[in-house]
Structures are given as C-alpha cells and as structure tokens.
Amino acid sequence: MAFIDWVLHPTELWAAFWYFMRHAPPDEKTVKLQVSGDMKRCYDFLEMTSRSFAAVIQELNPKLRDGICLFYLILRGLDTIEDDMTIPGAKKRHLLEKFHEVIYQKGWTFKESGPDEKDALLLVEFDVVVNEFLRLPTEYQDVIADITRRMGAGMAKYTHTRVESLESYNEYCHYVAGLVGHGLSRLFAVSTLEDASVGENLELANSMGLFLQKTNITRDINEDVLDGRCFWPKAIWGKYATTEEELISKANREKGIEALNEMCTNALQHIPDVLAYLSQIKEPSVFRFCAIPQTMAIATIVLCYDNARVLDDNVKIRKGEAIKLISQSDNIDSVKRLFYGYLNTLEKKNHPDNPMYAQVSKIIDKTKKDIATTLKGGAPTDFTMEYLVLVLFLITLIAFFYSYLTRGF
C-alpha cells in the first residue's frame, strides 16, 4: 500500500528524497546542539514525547530553542496529569492549579502516574526540567509560568465540567491550546526575533491553537469515545445522536457523518486568522515552527471532512504527504499555495446535499479570494503537478528502456 501511495503521489516521493538529503537524523541534531547535563536530558524527553515537535524545535533560532523546549515539556507534564484517569479528582485539580508553582521548586518530581501514562517518566524526572527552567532569563520564566498557571486553572475547571455548549468548547480549546499560542507569541516577542506586536495581538494566536486543537478533537472521536470521554460539544453531537456511543455506531452512520462535517466546519472557520498570523512572522525558523503544524492541520481536517472512516478509526495523512508539507512550509507564499490546494480538494468533497454545504462554501470562497489577492502571481492553478511529475517520470523510464533495447542495433 505504501508503494502504491508513492507511485500515485510522485511529488511526495521527490519531497521525501530531498528532505532526507537535507536533514540530519534527530540524534545527530541533538549532538549538534552542543548541550549537556540536564538540558541534554530535556531534549531526550522532547524526543520521547513528540518526535515531530522535537524536529522543528531543534531547528529554532538559539535565542528561542531551549526556552520553547522547556515550555513544551512543562505543558506536557501538566497535560500528563490532566489525562491520567487514575488520579483522584480533588488531587488532580490541586496538582493542576499549583503546577505553575512546582516549576520553581528544585527537586520536584511526581511518581504517582497510572501504569498506562506513556509520558510518566517525564514527571518522574521532572527535576531536570525545573533545573533548566530556573536557568532561563526571567522574562522567559514569567511568560511560561503565567501560561502554566492559566492553563492549569482551565484544566482543573474541566475535570468536573463537561463540554456542552459551543462557548464551553471554545473555552476548553482556549485553555489547552489557545494559551499555547499566547505563550509562544509572547516568547517570540520577548526574544526580539519578532516584533512586539506579535506578542500583543493574541486573538490571532488563540485561533492558531484552536485550529490545531479542534482538528485533533474532530479526528480523535472514535478513540476518545472508546476511552469513555468525548470532547465534541453536545451542542453539536446532541443534534445527531442521544449518546456518544450512538454517535460513532454504524447504525447511525449517516447522522454521525453529518455531525463530523459540522465539527470540521467549526474548525475551518479559524483558517483566515491562521493565515493572518503567519503573515506577520518574519524570522525563518519561527515561521517554519508555526507553519508546519498548521499545514498538517488543514491536510488532516480536509481528510476528515465527509469521511466515515473517522467514526471507526484514527485517520492520518500519508507519511509522504507529511514530509511534503514539512519541506514546503518555508514561507508565507508557499503556505498559502498549500492551503489553496487543500481548499480545492475540500470544494470537491463538499456536495450540495450536505447540510454544511453553504457554510463550508462560504469559508472556501472567502479564503481562496483572500489568498488570490495577496499571493504573488495571483491564485494558484488547480493543476496539481502530480500528473506532470508522473508524465516526466514515465518519459524518462521509456527513454531509458528504448536506449537499452536499441543499444545493440
């Protein structure tokens, strides 16, 4: 199946070839960072908890790299506590609400995670994160501690509050992801790599986080329901099913797909803000750090739209497609072209008999128009280049065999 994917998408094969030619393996990158001791262990944890994030963080400008690595690990520790269903409710809320204080306490660790928590080791050795956090400049510490405090309070609230309304859905996503956008934007500004306005216009930063979080929540519905939880707001799924289990059942498939499409539409509304945010980022490594997750998100949400497989399994974009997105997320024009292409794909999937048709069409039309008016050279063509690359490949192959067969004549 993987071979067929490469054949059907030759530009992905080409992108993968050049990506691996230009990028060192993660372990070599860590060596090149020239870190040691506790910070080396922190980068080890970064690799353990998220290899995809580790790659882009390690490519950041040195003025931001360690600070964002530690910011990520602190929030990962907070998230590990939130996800742990074995911690009693009252104790969990206390830990979440006080986590911004423990990051200042040398020697603090947590060894009571449940047996199924994959990132438990991070909390067991959390003292190394604390040690390095305390070495950061004070202005970096202040931003990280403030976001940790606000996120912990929000997580604590939703340990006993269900996501029912669209307002609570937006609020929950703000606490767990929008605040990450706030914190990163403030760190970009504090580092002086980006203009101070990036750390002040936090509405756009919030949308960056919400688009990522809502895409993940939409995609993960099957896994979450089977785990006994659901982050889809009842204001949406309650229109299509009486229980979360009914939502993903095959007997309710038509209504389940309608609910899925409404969730996708809710996420798609953040795309204009995402492109506006990326347009203000100037430093190349910061741009890639911000852009790569967003191009992955639009690829994922377009894949999920009107796709019944989402209700049965955890769907993911192809590895080749992911590598292509990573390799092409270098500048705003390239990212706009990627978004435009995925909007074209979405347009083809958005049939008139779909209840979300009008809303999705409005988002597509407005965003494509905005891209066309701001993109150098105007709107991209709908021609995907896959066919051109495939034709060139076949011509080369035919020429090779012709040369081989006629060599003896």
Side-chain angles (χ1 to χ4, degrees), residues 132-348:
E132 291 302 323
F133 169 75
L134 294 175
R135 292 190 178 100
L136 288 175
T138 302
E139 58 268 28
Y140 285 57
Q141 291 182 26
D142 291 345
V143 171
I144 294 172
D146 179 54
I147 296 300
T148 304
R149 175 185 61 81
R150 293 161 63 191
M151 185 179 291
M155 287 179 168
K157 174 180 178 179
Y158 279 93
T159 59
H160 55 82
T161 302
R162 290 177 62 84
V163 178
E164 300 273 352
S165 66
L166 292 179
E167 291 76 15
S168 64
Y169 181 47
N170 284 327
E171 182 182 62
Y172 173 77
C173 290
H174 166 71
Y175 282 135
V176 300
L179 284 174
V180 179
H182 282 206
L184 290 172
S185 298
R186 288 166 61 186
L187 289 173
F188 299 157
V190 163
S191 74
T192 70
L193 292 173
E194 297 294 341
D195 190 80
S197 61
V198 172
E200 296 166 356
N201 187 2
L202 296 178
E203 184 176 345
L204 295 179
N206 188 61
S207 282
M208 290 278 284
L210 263 60
F211 185 49
L212 298 181
Q213 186 66 21
K214 288 182 176 182
T215 296
N216 289 336
I217 286 174
T218 300
R219 180 196 60 193
D220 294 343
I221 182 61
N222 179 271
E223 180 182 337
D224 285 341
V225 170
L226 294 180
D227 285 345
R229 57 188 180 182
C230 180
F231 296 105
W232 285 22
K234 191 174 183 181
I236 290 180
W237 71 258
K239 293 187 281 185
Y240 305 97
T242 56
T243 65
E244 292 99 327
E245 291 74 19
E246 183 186 4
L247 180 65
I248 64 172
S249 71
K250 292 186 182 297
N252 191 46
R253 189 47 40 99
E254 183 177 342
K255 289 296 183 181
I257 293 173
E258 289 182 6
L260 169 65
N261 289 342
E262 186 168 346
M263 286 294 296
C264 290
T265 305
N266 186 278
L268 289 166
Q269 67 182 318
H270 296 290
I271 288 177
D273 279 356
V274 167
L275 294 176
Y277 181 93
L278 292 175
S279 296
Q280 68 183 343
I281 300 298
K282 306 304 180 188
E283 206 280 333
S285 71
V286 173
F287 183 87
R288 282 178 54 78
F289 175 78
C290 295
I292 289 172
Q294 301 296 331
T295 56
M296 297 281 194
I298 191 170
T300 301
I301 203 70
V302 170
L303 176 62
C304 289
Y305 188 79
D306 210 39
N307 185 350
R309 284 178 50 223
V310 176
L311 303 174
D312 297 323
D313 199 4
N314 188 280
V315 301
K316 294 181 179 180
I317 62 175
R318 298 181 303 276
K319 289 184 178 180
E321 185 176 8
I323 294 171
K324 181 179 177 180
L325 292 173
I326 292 171
S327 67
Q328 294 185 2
S329 297
D330 284 330
N331 59 74
I332 188 61
D333 282 353
S334 182
V335 166
K336 284 181 177 179
R337 288 190 179 91
L338 289 171
F339 270 71
Y340 199 98
Y342 281 109
L343 290 172
N344 280 336
T345 301
L346 180 62
E347 197 167 27
K348 294 170 184 175

Side-chain angles (χ1 to χ4, degrees), residues 25-35 40 43-44 47 58:
D27 56 334
E28 292 182 22
K29 285 183 183 178
T30 304
V31 172
K32 289 180 181 179
L33 292 180
Q34 296 182 334
V35 293
K40 172 66 168 62
Y43 279 106
D44 289 342
E47 291 282 352
Q58 290 178 22

Side-chain angles (χ1 to χ4, degrees), residues 35-180:
V35 293
S36 59
D38 286 345
M39 199 64 224
K40 172 66 168 62
R41 186 58 174 159
C42 287
Y43 279 106
D44 289 342
F45 277 123
L46 187 63
E47 291 282 352
M48 292 179 209
T49 55
S50 177
R51 292 186 66 85
S52 57
F53 253 116
V56 288
I57 288 176
Q58 290 178 22
E59 292 181 356
L60 275 169
N61 187 291
K63 293 180 71 173
L64 274 170
R65 191 166 50 216
D66 289 353
I68 288 183
C69 172
L70 294 167
F71 184 39
Y72 175 86
L73 291 178
I74 287 169
L75 297 188
R76 174 59 66 182
L78 187 69
D79 189 58
T80 300
I81 290 173
E82 185 209 20
D83 284 344
D84 193 339
M85 304 304 290
T86 69
I87 302 175
K91 182 172 185 178
K92 179 184 289 191
R93 285 191 291 275
H94 177 77
L95 285 167
L96 294 172
E97 290 169 347
K98 298 297 182 182
F99 205 77
H100 66 286
E101 297 178 3
V102 304
I103 61 178
Y104 287 98
Q105 297 175 15
K106 282 201 166 212
W108 188 89
T109 61
F110 184 77
K111 301 177 181 178
E112 302 171 42
S113 298
D116 297 326
E117 291 304 313
K118 60 184 179 65
D119 296 327
L121 184 60
L122 170 63
L123 291 174
V124 170
E125 297 185 37
F126 202 75
D127 53 328
V128 302
V129 178
V130 173
N131 290 341
E132 291 302 323
F133 169 75
L134 294 175
R135 292 190 178 100
L136 288 175
T138 302
E139 58 268 28
Y140 285 57
Q141 291 182 26
D142 291 345
V143 171
I144 294 172
D146 179 54
I147 296 300
T148 304
R149 175 185 61 81
R150 293 161 63 191
M151 185 179 291
M155 287 179 168
K157 174 180 178 179
Y158 279 93
T159 59
H160 55 82
T161 302
R162 290 177 62 84
V163 178
E164 300 273 352
S165 66
L166 292 179
E167 291 76 15
S168 64
Y169 181 47
N170 284 327
E171 182 182 62
Y172 173 77
C173 290
H174 166 71
Y175 282 135
V176 300
L179 284 174
V180 179

